[in-house]
Structures are given as structure tokens and as C-alpha cells.
Amino acid sequence: MKTKSLILVMVFCCLSLSVIAQEKSKKELRAARELQKRKETENLIGSKNFVFNAEKANPLGYRMIILDYNTYTIKVTEENVVCDLPFFGRGYNVAYGSADGGMKFEGKPENITIEKKKRSYIVKMNVKGKDDVYNLLFTVFFDGGTNVSVTSNNRASISYDGEIKALKAKI
């Protein structure tokens, strides 16, 4: 009787070990998720069609400001860039009586360059707005986290932290 129970326990152990060996560890699952996110980010950058959602503003010489979620964006396509971001800082040459205090502009992106670094992508572009020229510098990390620096002729430079996502299809 003891030998039968011993054999039964050994068979059960062998079967359970084979099932455990087939499961992925937490490290393997995390690595697979990171690889998937990296591929998604690479595809977004390569297509030049994405939306940046700003979460924090970092004005030059001021403290960091937390922004409303999914309210302030930069929509980038190959044909057009639409920016709707708040501005905190110093304006050098702003139209008198202007009620619009944000970084709001639209224009065709020019001189787009994409450079791959060790842990990120650097995307540079120039956009001519109605009254100003804007230089956008996107630092996109492989996990989708992004820092955008906006420099213009009429205002102090400002940077924003957030993430990029795919553009939603218009219905």
C-alpha cells in the first residue's frame, strides 16, 4: 500500500512540475509587455501620426504645474500639427488685448527629423503658426512617456510631460 501511494505521489509531483515549468515568470511577462509597448511606440513614431496628452507643464523659471487629464494635446500628422496647450511664463511680443493665453497654433510641420537613442526617440520639427514659428522637440521613451519642449520667438520656452498615443479614427 505504501508503494502505491508513493508512486502516486511521485506521478502527481511530475505532472505538477511540468505545468509549473510551462507558466511564464513575472519577469518574462513584464519583458513581453515592455517589448509590446516599445513596438507600439516605434510604430507611432514611424507613422508620424500620434497625439501627445500633456499631464504636467514645466515653465522656465517656475515650478511644475499639474494639468487636467486629457484636456491639453498636440495632434501630429504628416500634414498638420494642432497644438492646444496652456502657457505659463513670459511673453516677449504678444498681440495687445489677446485673450488667448495658451500655446494654440496650427500649421504644417517642416524639417521633421527622427533620431533613435539608447532608450528613447528624439523627434524635432518646426511649425509656422499664424503669428509665430514654433520649434517642437519630442523626447519619446520606449514606454510611451514623452517630454515636449516648445520654443517660440515671442514667448519663453516651456516643456510638458505626458504620453503619446495613437490618433483616434474620425467617425
Side-chain angles (χ1 to χ4, degrees), residues 38-104:
R38 183 176 181 170
K39 287 181 181 178
E40 290 174 8
T41 302
E42 187 175 314
N43 289 338
L44 286 175
I45 297 297
S47 70
K48 298 176 189 168
N49 292 313
F50 57 87
V51 62
F52 167 76
N53 292 319
E55 298 170 358
K56 301 174 195 170
N58 302 303
L60 192 64
Y62 296 96
R63 63 179 176 79
M64 177 189 67
I65 299 167
I66 305 227
L67 304 174
D68 292 337
Y69 185 71
N70 279 344
T71 305
Y72 302 107
T73 62
I74 300 175
K75 294 177 184 169
V76 177
T77 62
E78 289 187 76
E79 301 85 29
N80 199 19
V81 173
V82 179
C83 180
D84 182 14
L85 296 172
F87 179 75
F88 307 96
R90 186 172 182 177
Y92 301 118
N93 185 15
V94 181
Y96 179 74
S98 174
D100 181 26
M103 285 279 196
K104 296 181 173 115

Side-chain angles (χ1 to χ4, degrees), residues 1-166:
M1 187 73 178
K2 286 185 179 182
T3 57
K4 285 183 180 180
S5 61
L6 183 62
I7 291 173
L8 188 61
V9 168
M10 289 181 62
V11 168
F12 180 71
C13 288
C14 290
L15 289 175
S16 64
L17 287 177
S18 65
V19 171
I20 292 172
Q22 291 177 356
E23 292 181 14
K24 291 185 176 182
S25 69
K26 289 182 180 181
K27 287 183 181 180
E28 291 172 333
L29 290 172
R30 185 180 327 125
R33 280 193 306 264
E34 288 174 359
L35 182 64
Q36 177 67 25
K37 189 66 176 171
R38 183 176 181 170
K39 287 181 181 178
E40 290 174 8
T41 302
E42 187 175 314
N43 289 338
L44 286 175
I45 297 297
S47 70
K48 298 176 189 168
N49 292 313
F50 57 87
V51 62
F52 167 76
N53 292 319
E55 298 170 358
K56 301 174 195 170
N58 302 303
L60 192 64
Y62 296 96
R63 63 179 176 79
M64 177 189 67
I65 299 167
I66 305 227
L67 304 174
D68 292 337
Y69 185 71
N70 279 344
T71 305
Y72 302 107
T73 62
I74 300 175
K75 294 177 184 169
V76 177
T77 62
E78 289 187 76
E79 301 85 29
N80 199 19
V81 173
V82 179
C83 180
D84 182 14
L85 296 172
F87 179 75
F88 307 96
R90 186 172 182 177
Y92 301 118
N93 185 15
V94 181
Y96 179 74
S98 174
D100 181 26
M103 285 279 196
K104 296 181 173 115
F105 60 88
E106 183 174 351
K108 181 172 174 54
E110 299 172 353
N111 303 329
I112 300 174
T113 60
I114 299 172
E115 182 180 346
K116 185 175 181 179
K117 297 283 188 178
K118 187 175 182 180
R119 295 185 179 170
S120 63
Y121 292 95
I122 306 293
V123 180
K124 297 177 185 178
M125 64 181 72
N126 299 330
V127 179
K128 290 184 181 177
K130 190 172 114 180
D131 298 325
D132 203 353
V133 177
Y134 301 91
N135 297 321
L136 302 175
L137 173 68
F138 291 85
T139 304
V140 183
F141 298 97
F142 291 147
D143 65 351
T146 306
N147 177 281
V148 177
S149 176
V150 180
T151 307
S152 82
N153 295 331
N154 296 332
R155 296 179 182 186
S157 68
I158 186 169
S159 67
Y160 302 91
D161 295 327
E163 62 183 0
I164 65 167
K165 297 193 178 194

